[in-house]
Amino acid sequence: MKLTDYVIAYLHAKGTSHVFGMSGGAAVHLFDSASKHPGVQPIFMAHEQSAAMAADGYYRVSGKVGACVVTSGPGATNLLTGVCCSYYDSVPTLMLTGQVATNRLKGSRKVRQVGFQETETTSIYASVTKSAVQIGDAAGIAQALDSAYRIAQDGRPGPVLIDIPDDLQRATVIPEGIGRQHASDSKASPALPGQIADLLRGLSAAKRPVIIIGGGLSTPRRSDELRRFLHQIEVPVVQTWAGLDLLPSTWKHRIGTFGVYGSRLGNYVVQNADLLICLGTRLSQNLTGGVLKDFAVGSKIVMVDIDAGEMDKFDGYGIEIAERIEASMSDFLDAAIPAAGSFATPDISGWLAQIELWRRELPDDSPAEPEDSAGFVDAYHFVRKLSDVLAEDEIIFIDTGGNLTWTCNNLQVKERQRVLSAWNFTPMGYALPASIGGAMAASYAPITCIIGDGGLQLCLGELATVVRHALPIKIILFNNHSHGIQKQTLETWLEGRYVGVDPASGLGLSDYPEVVRAMGLPVVTIDRSSDISAQLEKIYSTPGPVFCNVQIRVDQKLYPVLKSGAPLDDQMPLMPREKLAALRVLKP
Ligand SMILES: Cc1ncc(C[n+]2csc(CCOP(=O)(O)OP(=O)(O)O)c2C)c(N)n1
């Protein structure tokens, strides 16, 4: 059997149904094999970066390893930004990169290149994959694929890469072990039941407990088990953005988001807690704020994480993680659900009353229903209207910048919706290619892609991919004719001196509706608030792709937001100082 046929058959046996990529001299055999296999469809993208993002989106939607095939040199290097998205969000993907033939590899010779486009792919990717290997002979492919699938998914998941020299791709291999199952290396620690018993005892004794849930509960996804656990313990829950879709917005004890761009209520709850239990979140700086010693000062912090390094990293840096439970979310929940059966619910009526008081008293930063001024719409208002229209099981990919912030802070998440983004790497230009991968993973189920006009420029070519496959993606462009988030950064830090953030300060932006129409997509423009609902109804009842150009007000701010250096409960726009102090349970 030809080696590339073996590779594709292996992917199929593991449940990977699509390979995303672009052709090139060192990738033709892999694509030829994919095109001949009835169960693996090659999807040709406009850019390899997009292919890696599509593979990432494919996993987030299906839970199956996403795969890419690209050529050597520039094909391989172009994957980098997409691979980083997967690495930092713990998404298992498999990158298959072509390489020059083994007799053209430079080996130990003191030169930069021997073969055409020769590039040391594995060393480039060593720091952003769990494993990056080049096979040295054809027989090595079986072992390389076995290891790749195991490593990608075991422990803390992440991307892996196999570099395959061109001559080996054409070699013959004996088709052994295709699809064989491998026992996982992961085993729950024997200490886990005792640690969970301690955690539940602590929770029963707490006066102001809070559970924080994050993206680690989605890689792999454990939302059903999480809900079962939360039902049993009934304490307030705050979410990171990556954990936004783990619970519907109507969940009884759901508080909302917290962090630098999080909700004021979420930040008050976290800052005033006496027990924080962190599940599937590494407490990034975007959550804690920049001054770690001011984070949740009166709280005991318990963290459950598969990666001990994420819990130990705070030692000596201002946050004390009092209890560290090293476990996967699956192992933790499998043990915690039965243990919580005999849980003694704490009396937290005072805490719940305090939260209700904050809910009433904290300022609402999203503007009220705006006047119907023709020419633009308010982003907060638009997202609320969009929430009404989106289906119960809609898959929503969001890019980065203001559009991400406005959406995460205002979307009313429904029962089975998915809300997805490259949370930790946040490159512009992610949402559209990831939506393509998601659409393939969900067998052409409807997808909503939210993106800014800056982000769209980085992946514009992928609109051709959407058209080519008639993918039912509703692309919602938050068109504020600028890099909205960057404008606000410059207003905060450089007295509003704009550089390279809008056309007047040096940025080139196109007439997107015209460009997109020329690329073959239907375009609808929304530019007055009274039209939003009717236009959205029309868009969402139209089958296939639709591009929705939403004219967002150019001066739209991202509020509330924390200025670096401030404690979490002191977001901008700043509250009167007396009110800030009066609302704090714990006085600094
Ligand atoms: C590839 C990449 N380059 C630069 C940045 C820094 N950055 C973050 S958001 C942003 C502007 C985004 O503008 P736009 O997509 O129009 O979104 P808006 O904030 O206006 O909603 C920039 C330049 C980034 N995140 N990714």
Side-chain angles (χ1 to χ4, degrees), residues 133-145:
V133 297
Q134 184 180 81
I135 56 164
D137 55 46
I141 192 66
Q143 170 65 34
L145 283 165

Side-chain angles (χ1 to χ4, degrees), residues 49 81 399-404 406 425-429 451-456 458 478 480-486 500-501 509 558:
Q49 169 175 307
T81 303
D399 209 62
T400 190
N403 56 87
L404 178 68
W406 298 316
F425 199 57
T426 65
M428 296 159 75
I451 193 163
D453 44 343
L456 182 66
L458 277 86
F478 278 47
N480 54 359
H481 303 270
S482 58
H483 288 178
I485 193 170
Q486 289 302 110
V501 290
L509 291 169
L558 291 70

Side-chain angles (χ1 to χ4, degrees), residues 3-4 15 20 41 102 124 129 318 327 367 394 408 413 438 468 535 568:
L3 182 143
T4 52
F20 302 92
Q41 192 186 353
T102 44
I124 290 173
T129 56
E394 189 78 19
C408 287
V413 181
R468 169 65 184 75
Q535 293 284 46
L568 267 191

Side-chain angles (χ1 to χ4, degrees), residues 79-160:
L79 290 172
L80 187 61
T81 303
V83 171
C84 289
C85 296
S86 302
Y87 188 63
Y88 295 114
D89 279 359
S90 307
V91 169
T93 55
L94 170 62
M95 303 292 121
L96 296 165
T97 53
Q99 185 55 277
V100 301
T102 44
N103 63 351
R104 299 212 175 89
L105 286 166
K106 68 189 175 77
S108 56
R109 285 176 275 183
K110 300 252 174 285
V111 290
R112 293 187 182 183
Q113 275 186 326
V114 173
F116 172 62
Q117 292 184 328
E118 183 183 3
T119 305
E120 269 188 53
T121 303
T122 54
S123 59
I124 290 173
Y125 281 91
S127 69
V128 290
T129 56
K130 289 185 74 185
S131 149
V133 297
Q134 184 180 81
I135 56 164
D137 55 46
I141 192 66
Q143 170 65 34
L145 283 165
D146 285 352
S147 302
Y149 267 88
R150 184 176 46 73
I151 293 170
Q153 297 171 93
D154 255 11
R156 183 175 182 177
V160 294

